[in-house]
Amino acid sequence: MSIWKRKPLNQLLDEATESEKGLKKTLSASGLVALGVGAIIGAGLFSITGLAAATNAGPAITISFLVAAFGCIFAGLCYAEFSSMIPVAGSAYTYSFATMGEFIAWIIGWDLVLEYAVGAATVSISWSRYLGKFLSGYGIHIPDAYMLSPFEGGVINIPAVFIVIVMSMILMRGTKESAFVNGLIVTLKVSVVLIFIAVGWQYIRPENYTPYIPENTGEFGHFGFSGIIRAAAIVFFAYIGFDAVSTAAQEAKNPKRDMPIGILLSLGICTLLYILFAHVMTGVVNYTAFAGQDGIAPVAVAVENMGHADASGMITPAYPWLNNAILLAILAGYASVILVMLMGQSRVFFSMSKDGLMPKVFSEVHPKYRTPAKNNTLFMILVSIFAAFIPARVVGEMTSIGTLFAFILVCIGVMIMRKKMPDAPRAFRTPLVPLVPILGIGVCLFMMVFLPLDTWIRLIVWMMIGFDLYLFYGMKNSYLNSGQFSIGNYKTVAGSGLAMVLSLVVVAFVHHSSPDADDASLFYFSLIFAAIHTMVYAYSYKKAK
């Protein structure tokens, strides 16, 4: 048996058939669009945008969103073809299994764990900051020690943990109920975005756009052209909403028609709103105001500056009621983002477990609610830990690099599928293949290169942990290969792991020599981690002989 063995398309289609033990089909096209908008609008607008503008792009953050959108459009067209062909839970993991085999499917599945779980943590951290802003308007102040991670001067981020638990509990009750709650929140959230744009437009100060592209500070990624591209890579995770739509394919009523609509329409609506929103935000207040802790809650800063300045330069908000109203809507909106990300994550693990690559417990469906409740419980705990103790910048950039990597593999998968199965029925066809997939690969890879090196280190470390799990669990329990692999397969995985070790050491050395290196702790951790895994993979390789 081979680690490159692909899962037959007819087997995947059989899995899409509803049964008593399967996931319940409850989502229409409008529900899928709402699901996508629910995930897309939130993190990009309401959290990481401020930090990206303050430290990377300045007012040109609007260009960053446009660059990110190009990568999303190309990848979105590829996702639309796959989701209409293979309406099964699992998203890019399932598509990779059908086109590139089990080993690549494992890699992308493990990467999606990073994308969704860490993405939900990012948004929950920002939710916590907005909650603090909202409560302070009523004279209630939560101590910073309980709203910040230890790395930011706090102890634990309790509000972030709270919202993850609440959204996980709702998700366990059922997809239909979750979609209903999400639909209400999305309506409120889009209304707030439109109000912000309409009200804020009249308070734009042209001087805040000068310079539109701040001069590079001399450091790579700090303003100038490199800053625009790095900002695009950082905010890219805000576009994973259409990706989350594809994870719900098995719960769509008519996936062949509705999945492309849900993916492409939600992407188009949100891209337009992103650009308008960012333009107003950086026009109302100078981008430098978004530096520091308030950068994770930039809308609150912008609303406070929607007014006219007096003789002393003090700005009195023209709509004082608007601040708390918008903050309340943002809190609800963030909740829907967390909900969709947690849903996407649980569905990926559900699919991996169904294939035997993860323990069976993750594909067990609740007898009453017909949701993977135990799966949801695991990620409720995992995401809560991330949200409680990890800084927002770190988890945000980790989500971006995981998302970009997933998009690249999906684009490659479309080209392979066209070559291997040209006659397979497709309700939607990606236009201009291979041009569109190649452009998608190029744009996403281009943005990955511009992410900070410490983010690359964390990605490599995460993927090496995934190699460990595949070597010692996945390969032995695979249903498709019946756990029977040749010696050459083990050598391939162990050899790939050794290549990852070498990559980790090289990137760690380069990062340690760069101006971005704050201290040597990450460098020494990388060397220790690499040394341990050299022994692990060398042992596996030797044993395979």
Side-chain angles (χ1 to χ4, degrees), residues 107 110-111 405 459-467 500:
I107 291 174
W110 187 246
D111 174 66
F405 185 42
L459 174 66
I460 295 171
V461 167
W462 179 261
M463 297 311 297
M464 287 169 65
I465 294 172
F467 275 69
M500 295 291 284

Side-chain angles (χ1 to χ4, degrees), residues 11 28 136 141 148 164 218 229 242 248 265-266 293 336 365 377 400 407 417 445 481 511:
Q11 183 178 338
S28 63
S136 65
H141 299 280
L148 297 173
V164 170
I229 304 302
F242 70 84
L265 188 56
S266 62
Q293 290 298 333
S336 72
V365 176
T377 302
S400 291
F407 287 2
M417 185 72 89
L445 185 60
N481 284 291
H511 174 260

Side-chain angles (χ1 to χ4, degrees), residues 15-27 87-90 171 174-176 247-253 343-344 346-351 354 362-366 369-373 375-376:
E15 292 177 5
T17 304
E18 184 176 16
S19 67
E20 289 185 3
K21 295 183 179 179
L23 298 175
K24 193 173 183 180
K25 295 182 179 294
T26 59
L27 297 174
V88 180
L171 197 56
T175 304
K176 183 176 181 180
T247 66
Q250 199 164 334
E251 292 150 282
K253 293 178 180 178
M343 177 183 175
S346 65
R347 274 38 177 189
V348 172
F349 245 49
F350 176 87
S351 294
K354 291 280 284 185
F362 296 120
S363 57
E364 292 179 1
V365 176
H366 193 283
Y369 302 126
R370 292 173 66 182
T371 61
N375 196 333
N376 293 136

Side-chain angles (χ1 to χ4, degrees), residues 130-211:
Y130 275 107
L131 178 66
K133 288 277 187 182
F134 178 75
L135 294 179
S136 65
Y138 296 96
I140 302 173
H141 299 280
I142 301 175
D144 284 347
Y146 303 112
M147 293 189 68
L148 297 173
S149 74
F151 299 97
E152 298 169 304
V155 177
I156 182 174
N157 196 329
I158 293 178
V161 173
F162 168 77
I163 190 60
V164 170
I165 292 174
V166 171
M167 290 300 104
S168 296
M169 297 299 289
I170 292 175
L171 197 56
M172 291 177 201
R173 289 297 303 270
T175 304
K176 183 176 181 180
E177 291 77 6
S178 302
F180 175 74
V181 172
N182 180 65
L184 293 177
I185 294 174
V186 167
T187 300
L188 176 63
K189 186 162 54 174
V190 172
S191 299
V192 166
V193 170
L194 294 175
I195 290 172
F196 180 90
I197 294 171
V199 172
W201 200 277
Q202 60 187 312
Y203 295 105
I204 289 177
R205 299 174 182 86
E207 61 270 20
N208 289 328
Y209 294 131
T210 305

